[in-house]
Amino acid sequence: MNAADAVTVVVVDDEDLVREGLAAIIGSNPEFKVVAMAADGAQAIEAVRRTSPDVVLMDVRMPGIDGIEATKRIVASGASSRVLMLTTMETDETVAAALSAGATGFLLKSVPREQLWWGIRAAATGDALLAPTITRRLIEQYVAGVARPDAPTLSITDRQRDVVKLVARGESNAEIAASLFLAEATVKSHISDVLTRHGLRDRTQLVVLAYESGLVRPGDVTQG
């Protein structure tokens, strides 16, 4: 792979060994390039401003500005970077805060390197819901624990409903296209239209809305 085509990553963790270990693992794959490391949220915000990475791998708990507040500020700045929260299986409250802040998804710190690479790649391309077995369960917990007197609605066509349900299963655009006998470009167009129409940042927010609106219910989606 040409270095210019590599997915650029900022690694954020307050523990030196964890931060440097993650950077070494990510950098050992030529598909990725670590452009900066940060030990806290303030450094992360500055690193994103300076390097405009494709993906930020963000620890949740750090001194000073924590990962959730840093994510909120990065998203509010208009940066196009996708933020993946590094978690050791946090509480529902943390999940809700991270999703509200604009995090794209979650990765366990204990994941094998192949899943780490896959998660970063998925976040960068937007092609698949990040880490389905982790993010989906966290989203279900989040949605189940949030009181919603006025449940949001999805304003979509019947075909877009089919697409969104498969997005919630963690299927890629290519897999959705094969399942629904559509061109992959058509699937991308449907997803883009739904995101734009509802003011959503990415597929993770789309899945949250699918649960909140009742289109998908906790327990409906099984690992494919």
Side-chain angles (χ1 to χ4, degrees), residues 142-206:
Y142 163 57
V143 172
V146 175
R148 302 180 308 282
D150 297 311
T153 58
L154 274 167
S155 176
I156 55 179
T157 66
D158 289 342
R159 177 52 84 191
Q160 288 172 341
R161 282 177 171 272
D162 295 335
V163 170
V164 171
K165 286 180 178 179
L166 294 179
V167 169
R169 290 188 59 176
E171 293 194 10
S172 68
N173 289 346
E175 290 169 334
I176 294 170
S179 296
L180 299 179
F181 303 101
L182 297 172
E184 190 171 346
T186 301
V187 172
K188 289 182 179 180
S189 177
H190 280 316
I191 294 172
S192 177
D193 180 60
V194 175
L195 292 176
T196 300
R197 189 180 307 171
H198 296 84
L200 303 174
R201 177 177 167 82
D202 54 33
R203 295 166 78 110
T204 298
Q205 289 192 342
L206 175 58

Side-chain angles (χ1 to χ4, degrees), residues 71 75 83-85 98-106 202 204-205:
T71 298
V75 171
V83 180
L84 306 186
M85 306 303 296
L99 290 172
S100 296
T104 293
F106 301 80
D202 54 33
T204 298
Q205 289 192 342

Side-chain angles (χ1 to χ4, degrees), residues 23 43 67 90 126 132 176-177 182 215:
Q43 291 182 16
E90 300 293 337
I176 294 170
L182 297 172
L215 177 63

Side-chain angles (χ1 to χ4, degrees), residues 29-211:
N29 187 325
E31 291 185 46
F32 308 108
K33 180 181 180 182
V34 176
V35 293
M37 292 188 288
D40 58 38
Q43 291 182 16
I45 294 166
E46 171 57 23
V48 170
R49 185 199 64 77
R50 188 177 69 252
T51 65
S52 300
D54 297 311
V55 177
V56 182
L57 202 57
M58 180 81 74
D59 190 18
V60 173
R61 295 178 178 174
M62 296 179 292
I65 299 176
D66 65 16
I68 292 173
E69 179 61 27
T71 298
K72 186 183 301 182
R73 297 188 190 185
I74 288 169
V75 171
S77 74
S80 61
S81 307
R82 302 302 188 197
V83 180
L84 306 186
M85 306 303 296
L86 281 170
T87 178
T88 53
M89 199 50 63
E90 300 293 337
T91 64
D92 291 354
E93 291 77 11
T94 299
V95 172
L99 290 172
S100 296
T104 293
F106 301 80
L107 282 177
L108 293 175
K109 287 188 176 182
S110 60
V111 296
R113 66 180 59 205
E114 291 79 10
Q115 189 173 348
L116 175 64
W117 293 332
W118 174 76
I120 294 171
R121 188 183 305 111
T125 62
D127 187 55
L129 174 63
L130 179 63
T133 58
I134 299 171
T135 302
R136 194 163 57 229
R137 182 172 69 253
L138 293 176
I139 288 172
E140 289 190 359
Q141 291 174 354
Y142 163 57
V143 172
V146 175
R148 302 180 308 282
D150 297 311
T153 58
L154 274 167
S155 176
I156 55 179
T157 66
D158 289 342
R159 177 52 84 191
Q160 288 172 341
R161 282 177 171 272
D162 295 335
V163 170
V164 171
K165 286 180 178 179
L166 294 179
V167 169
R169 290 188 59 176
E171 293 194 10
S172 68
N173 289 346
E175 290 169 334
I176 294 170
S179 296
L180 299 179
F181 303 101
L182 297 172
E184 190 171 346
T186 301
V187 172
K188 289 182 179 180
S189 177
H190 280 316
I191 294 172
S192 177
D193 180 60
V194 175
L195 292 176
T196 300
R197 189 180 307 171
H198 296 84
L200 303 174
R201 177 177 167 82
D202 54 33
R203 295 166 78 110
T204 298
Q205 289 192 342
L206 175 58
V207 174
V208 170
L209 180 57
Y211 277 105

